[in-house]
Amino acid sequence: MRLPANTASAAMAVLLPWCVPVLILATWQFASNQGWLSTRILPEPLAVLRAAWTLAASGELWKHTQVSALRALSGLVVGGGLGLLAGLLTGLFRPLEILLDSTLQMVRNIPPLALIPLVILWFGIEEGAKLFLVASGVFFPIYINTYHGIRSVDAGLIEMACSYGLRGWPLYRDVILPGALPSILVGLRYALGLMWVILIVAETISAQSGIGYMTMNAREFLQTDVMLVGILLYALLGKLADLAAKGLERRWLRWHPSYQAP
Amino acid sequence: MNARLKLIGIETAAQSPIAGAAVAIVGIRKRFGTRQVLRGLTLEITAGSFVAVVGRSGCGKSTLLRLISGLEVADAGLIEVQASGKPAPQTRVMFQDARLLPWKSVFNNVALGLKPSARERARMMLAEVGLADRATDWPAQLSGGQRQRVALARALAQQPDLLLLDEPLGALDALTRIEMHALIERLWHTHGFTALLVTHDVTEAIALADRVIVIEDGTIALDIAVHLPRPRKRDVTFSALEQSILTQILNPNSQALA
Ligand SMILES: Nc1ncnc2c1ncn2[C@@H]1O[C@H](COP(=O)(O)OP(=O)(O)O)[C@@H](O)[C@H]1O
Ligand SMILES: [Mg+2]
């Protein structure tokens, strides 16, 4: 009988990856129950769940998540939009490349987080500071990958399209932009990762709301369970952003051999 | 030429928008850096004929094709493509790599550059190369031979008067090549375009062309008319012709000495 064997191995493939996480959680819970782990170091998993429930019920969780997500998204839109624009311009127009690219490559070497002291001086600790940090962080991955994507579009395809009478906008729409898209999406995924890292640091340093504020506030009261909820929330949001980027790839790169159903 | 017109039949010839262009090339020269690739090459091609260009790798076959197609500009000389009753004859190129846009479906690749009103023609051409059922597939899902057939359909959907083929079968296996020979020959018959085929395969040149041209040292070293009946069998005459052309390519000075 082949079918049951196949179903069994399929079930194994689904279940097996969860073994280790479940084992870790069980060990953790057991250690907490036995008193081996102080709640000052790490709360028991059930306490984290309870804290999450309480925070969700009071609406606090939702409020902080919303604030953080909004910060992340607005930084992404501003920085990513500018990066995309700059990448398109330098990729498509030679004079602009000569004018801008070497400058941007130099500025790229400055880690965005190194700017924090200056940014605090410029914007104080208000929203502007966080927006600026996130935007400047996501700008470069998107800029560089857009620029490279456009530059590395197969010259043979462009030549073919020209000889088939494509000029101007149709050439960009049908050949150059789709050719650059895989690279642009790589930049987007990288930018999304960076976006959360920068936001976490910025919110941890100073904020009156947001997940980082919630976590730092909990630290003052030694609420390790709330701190853990905050950390897990960041992880969840990061995962969601990554899934969204993957979804875009799946949708926009359907033609790509690596996205075709076997 | 006349014989072929009869073969096509008056109907097809009358309704075909393809005129079959005549090509006149006079004394073209082209150099890349210090390398003089073409040195005053002169060539006339009759409208509707099938001409093959052979020669060693790097002798300038592709360069000649790119000059005719306008992808490259000659340093000196004259190139004229003329089709009777057409002010601007259409020239299309088929490359060795099919150069399909991977992000467009097979059908949209064939319809590339066509006006919306002419998209039906893309469907017809796709059927003519036997790939109507693959219209919605991505190019990545096709085999090498199928990709070249799509590229051929794309070129013909543009109704070219002159079709330039730059080693289009170079990367295909022997069986697929033979299939493609028959297909190209059939399409040439039905549509009546002028075909200029660059190839490194002398057998392929004789199997398909009315005339085989050998390029050497930047000029034409040999220009042989092929009078074998179509479809061509690999018989004694075929082999003799093949041998004499190969000898010319392999021993460049034999004729000069003879
Ligand atoms: N764009 C180019 N720049 C520099 N050299 C070139 C270029 N195109 C072709 N060549 C040179 O011209 C010669 C002829 O090339 P080509 O026409 O491609 O030969 P083939 O007969 O193999 O098709 C080769 O030596 C090649 O290196
Ligand atoms: Mg070549």
Side-chain angles (χ1 to χ4, degrees):
Chain A
M1 287 277 276
R2 274 181 68 92
L3 206 64
N6 273 347
T7 338
S9 69
M12 277 288 272
V14 173
L15 291 179
L16 216 52
W18 291 98
C19 284
V20 176
V22 167
L23 201 69
I24 290 176
L25 274 178
T27 317
W28 177 8
Q29 179 70 46
F30 181 74
S32 302
N33 285 351
Q34 294 297 310
W36 297 342
L37 255 180
S38 151
T39 40
R40 281 200 52 181
I41 309 283
L42 212 58
E44 57 170 340
L46 284 178
V48 178
L49 268 183
R50 243 176 281 127
W53 178 253
T54 321
L55 286 168
S58 71
E60 214 176 329
L61 191 70
W62 175 236
K63 189 188 82 193
H64 290 307
T65 309
Q66 215 177 3
V67 168
S68 287
L70 196 67
R71 279 177 189 146
L73 280 182
S74 46
L76 178 70
V77 168
V78 173
L82 288 174
L84 185 68
L85 189 70
L88 289 176
L89 290 176
T90 48
L92 294 174
F93 304 108
R94 196 88 205 180
L96 279 173
E97 180 198 0
I98 298 167
L99 181 71
L100 291 176
D101 188 57
S102 52
T103 311
L104 288 172
Q105 296 290 351
M106 276 190 281
V107 178
R108 178 170 79 107
N109 291 316
I110 303 170
L113 292 178
L115 291 176
I116 286 178
L118 257 187
V119 168
I120 291 177
L121 199 64
W122 292 342
F123 298 95
I125 53 170
E126 298 305 313
E127 289 307 310
K130 293 172 198 70
L131 183 70
F132 180 87
L133 281 173
V134 174
S136 59
V138 299
F139 175 87
F140 287 102
I142 296 211
Y143 164 72
I144 287 165
N145 284 286
T146 304
Y147 167 76
H148 267 284
I150 287 178
R151 271 304 142 92
S152 53
V153 175
D154 185 350
L157 288 182
I158 296 176
E159 188 183 76
M160 180 280 299
C162 289
S163 79
Y164 275 75
L166 267 68
R167 299 275 134 72
W169 170 237
L171 182 66
Y172 294 122
R173 183 195 56 203
D174 289 348
V175 183
I176 296 176
L177 294 180
L181 197 56
S183 176
I184 295 175
L185 288 179
V186 167
L188 177 65
R189 268 179 91 171
Y190 193 83
L192 287 175
L194 212 56
M195 171 183 87
W196 289 117
V197 171
I198 294 174
L199 188 71
I200 290 168
V201 174
E203 283 190 341
T204 308
I205 288 172
S206 70
Q208 270 77 52
S209 58
I211 303 170
Y213 165 78
M214 184 182 85
T215 315
M216 286 313 277
N217 205 34
R219 189 198 53 139
E220 286 186 17
F221 302 100
L222 295 177
Q223 294 170 311
T224 45
D225 47 356
V226 175
M227 290 165 70
L228 238 74
V229 170
I231 291 168
L232 291 178
L233 210 52
Y234 275 132
L236 189 71
L237 288 173
K239 183 71 189 168
L240 277 180
D242 201 48
L243 280 179
K246 263 192 192 156
L248 285 183
E249 284 181 1
R250 206 162 295 230
R251 190 178 156 73
W252 286 342
L253 304 183
R254 266 171 310 170
W255 50 270
H256 206 278
S258 45
Y259 292 95
Q260 269 155 31
Chain B
M1 166 77 191
N2 280 337
R4 204 170 63 75
L5 269 183
K6 270 181 212 130
L7 217 146
I8 299 167
I10 305 294
E11 280 173 21
T12 347
Q15 65 183 208
S16 172
I18 299 176
V23 185
I25 298 166
V26 185
I28 48 162
R29 307 176 68 79
K30 179 73 187 175
R31 68 192 289 167
F32 293 107
T34 57
R35 196 184 166 87
Q36 188 74 41
V37 180
L38 296 177
R39 317 162 186 264
L41 184 142
T42 296
L43 174 65
E44 287 222 21
I45 298 175
T46 333
S49 65
F50 200 128
V51 177
V53 176
V54 294
R56 284 166 180 263
S57 174
C59 71
K61 306 183 293 291
S62 297
T63 305
L64 175 65
L65 234 61
R66 297 170 60 80
L67 287 170
I68 298 174
S69 68
L71 288 172
E72 209 92 61
V73 180
D75 301 331
L78 196 84
I79 299 177
E80 254 183 18
V81 181
Q82 281 186 324
S84 59
K86 267 202 179 180
Q90 291 283 313
T91 303
R92 283 295 175 263
V93 192
M94 204 181 146
F95 304 92
Q96 171 162 3
D97 43 337
R99 300 201 186 175
L100 303 179
L101 297 174
W103 43 84
K104 281 187 176 287
S105 69
V106 166
F107 173 76
N108 282 325
N109 264 287
V110 178
L112 187 75
L114 289 181
K115 292 192 194 74
S117 58
R119 285 170 74 86
E120 199 42 44
R121 205 159 65 223
R123 209 167 288 285
M124 272 163 48
M125 281 317 308
L126 207 48
E128 274 200 68
V129 300
L131 288 174
D133 56 330
R134 308 301 297 269
T136 55
D137 285 356
W138 301 111
Q141 295 167 306
L142 302 181
S143 71
Q146 289 169 331
R147 270 177 232 167
Q148 282 302 23
R149 281 197 269 161
V150 174
L152 188 59
R154 177 179 64 189
L156 293 184
Q158 305 267 330
Q159 304 186 315
D161 305 298
L162 172 63
L163 181 62
L164 305 170
L165 306 111
D166 192 355
E167 307 202 28
L169 314 180
L172 305 182
D173 63 90
L175 283 176
T176 312
R177 290 172 79 113
I178 293 173
E179 268 174 30
M180 287 293 288
H181 290 166
L183 179 66
I184 291 174
E185 195 173 26
R186 181 162 58 75
L187 291 172
W188 171 66
H189 261 309
T190 32
H191 293 278
F193 51 86
T194 307
L196 183 57
L197 167 76
V198 161
T199 173
H200 56 249
D201 181 352
V202 177
T203 319
E204 180 172 290
I206 302 172
L208 287 173
D210 298 322
R211 191 174 155 206
V212 178
I213 283 159
V214 178
I215 295 189
E216 221 171 72
D217 295 329
T219 52
I220 291 173
L222 195 65
D223 185 345
I224 296 185
V226 183
H227 292 300
L228 305 173
R230 294 171 185 273
R232 289 177 177 159
K233 293 188 194 61
R234 312 290 196 264
D235 57 11
V236 188
T237 336
F238 192 106
S239 308
L241 201 56
E242 190 176 356
Q243 202 51 53
S244 68
I245 293 172
L246 272 175
T247 312
Q248 174 64 37
I249 298 174
L250 296 175
N251 316 307
N253 297 323
S254 61
Q255 261 201 347
L257 291 176

